[in-house]
Amino acid sequence: MTFWIFRRVLQALVVVLAMTLIVFLGLHAIGDPVEILLPPEASFEDRAKMISELGLDLPLHEQYVRFLAGLLQGNLGTSYVFNEPAAQLILSRLPATLELALAAVFLSVIIGLPLGLVAGRNPNSWLSKTIMRGSILGFSLPLFWVAILLILIFSVQLNWLPSTGRGDTVELFGTEWSFLTTDGLRHLILPAFSLALFNIAMVLRLTESGVREAYGSEYVKFARAKGISPRRILLTHVLKNVLIPVVTIVGLDIGNTIAFSVVTETIFAWPGVGKIIIDSISALDRPVIVAYLMMVVILFVCINMIVDIVYRILDPRMRLEEGH
């Protein structure tokens, strides 16, 4: 197991290194930072000085080495628009995005998993059929439309929940969090549910399929023959096997939710990374774009590695294969 973890970490580092090269080459094909930073009437000397300061006069491979050195030191340049270190700017907004993404994933588990268990246990009942038909909405409805609809119903018509902002926050471990306050929770419900709807449907259908398959397996039939109660069979034998694919999907959903929370943050005016990255793309603010992309890459790689480790812990077959 230790050797496998070491090998997995090494693979993760190779992936991160490959992604740094892709990000570096991709951004060098987009725009010219000198044109952004200097006014059109700037002199040739000013342009030459700026090119030298940015290191754009160096060969491409030397620029890449400087880029890697800066990445290792946490220095990804200064934002052209906000005039702040790009990494610091992204990290200052990252807790809000993480809070929203984790809340959405949490909702997808506490809603999707029980509904999937109910639907899979009695697949021919009217309740199961209603649940499965309702899950189609999670895949079909566009995210932006769901967000607008939630605002119209719960904020405009019923006036139950706020539609913009993050609400009151409380500092914990040096970071501001809104889920620790009542007002913050009220601000979090609508954007988190909007972002979670697709994931709820995915977890629900995956759980339902796993439960139906598990109930037809030999170990469940043997447990029934021993006289074990249906409740214990479901929660002990079936659920443990269903969790194996669900953990994989939920783990990957964390990265996807963080990366694609831009639309939700924009609609609900959530003060996360989404608004900054949209402004940066519009202004071709390359340091901020690089910082955001590298943050997403590192998050995806780390989450995938954690999911692989948890998968091996949950599934004994993986450990047996490793022993062989």
Side-chain angles (χ1 to χ4, degrees):
M1 185 71 174
T2 304
F3 175 73
W4 178 85
I5 293 176
F6 172 77
R7 187 177 62 185
R8 188 66 183 81
V9 171
L10 190 62
Q11 290 174 352
L13 292 175
V14 172
V15 171
V16 172
L17 183 63
M19 288 306 301
T20 61
L21 182 60
I22 294 173
V23 169
F24 175 79
L25 294 177
L27 285 175
H28 269 71
I30 302 175
D32 184 0
V34 177
E35 297 295 332
I36 300 171
L37 294 172
L38 292 178
E41 64 273 10
S43 64
F44 178 80
E45 290 77 12
D46 292 336
R47 291 177 179 274
K49 182 180 179 182
M50 180 63 67
I51 290 173
S52 178
E53 289 177 354
L54 295 176
L56 299 177
D57 55 338
L58 298 174
L60 196 61
H61 67 277
E62 291 186 24
Q63 293 184 45
Y64 178 63
V65 171
R66 288 182 59 176
F67 170 73
L68 285 181
L71 180 62
L72 292 174
Q73 298 170 6
N75 178 20
L76 294 172
T78 302
S79 168
Y80 304 154
V81 176
F82 299 96
N83 198 28
E84 294 182 34
Q88 180 180 327
L89 186 63
I90 292 295
L91 290 175
S92 67
R93 299 290 188 97
L94 184 59
T97 298
L98 283 176
E99 183 176 42
L100 178 60
L102 292 176
V105 172
F106 176 74
L107 286 177
S108 70
V109 173
I110 66 170
I111 297 176
L113 190 61
L115 289 178
L117 290 174
V118 171
R121 186 176 181 182
N122 300 296
N124 296 319
S125 66
W126 67 268
L127 180 59
S128 174
K129 292 178 181 178
T130 302
I131 291 173
M132 297 309 295
R133 287 167 184 166
S135 68
I136 298 175
L137 296 175
F139 294 109
S140 306
L141 299 178
L143 175 60
F144 70 90
W145 188 84
V146 171
I148 294 172
L149 188 64
L150 290 174
I151 291 174
L152 288 175
I153 295 174
F154 294 100
S155 296
V156 179
Q157 298 294 332
L158 300 176
N159 197 26
W160 287 355
L161 296 169
S163 60
T164 58
R166 197 179 178 194
D168 296 335
T169 59
V170 172
E171 185 174 336
L172 180 66
F173 304 121
T175 304
E176 297 290 334
W177 303 98
S178 61
F179 75 95
L180 297 173
T181 67
T182 303
D183 183 60
L185 275 175
R186 293 180 70 247
H187 282 78
L188 183 61
I189 291 173
L190 288 185
F193 182 78
S194 170
L195 193 59
L197 190 60
F198 179 85
N199 294 339
I200 290 172
M202 183 179 295
V203 172
L204 191 162
R205 284 188 165 268
L206 189 63
T207 304
E208 188 268 347
S209 175
V211 170
R212 293 183 65 173
E213 182 180 352
Y215 269 109
S217 62
E218 294 297 328
Y219 66 86
V220 171
K221 294 178 182 177
F222 182 70
R224 283 174 172 167
K226 289 177 63 178
I228 299 176
S229 66
R231 179 183 177 86
R232 187 179 175 188
I233 290 175
L234 177 66
L235 298 180
T236 303
H237 299 278
V238 174
L239 182 59
K240 184 177 179 181
N241 287 277
V242 168
L243 283 178
I244 294 173
V246 170
V247 164
T248 304
I249 294 299
V250 169
L252 296 177
D253 276 347
I254 296 175
N256 288 329
T257 307
I258 293 172
F260 300 111
S261 63
V262 175
V263 175
T264 303
E265 290 186 6
T266 303
I267 294 174
F268 289 95
W270 188 264
V273 179
K275 183 66 168 60
I276 290 181
I277 196 62
I278 287 178
D279 293 340
S280 300
I281 292 173
S282 301
L284 291 178
D285 195 349
R286 295 205 319 192
V288 177
I289 298 174
V290 168
Y292 174 77
L293 291 176
M294 293 313 305
M295 176 203 74
V296 171
V297 166
I298 292 172
L299 277 174
F300 263 98
V301 170
C302 291
I303 290 170
N304 286 342
M305 187 168 59
I306 293 171
V307 167
D308 285 348
I309 294 173
V310 174
Y311 193 97
R312 280 182 169 261
I313 293 173
L314 288 175
D315 193 348
R317 293 171 298 182
M318 301 294 291
R319 299 194 295 273
L320 288 175
E321 289 178 5
E322 183 182 354
H324 290 305

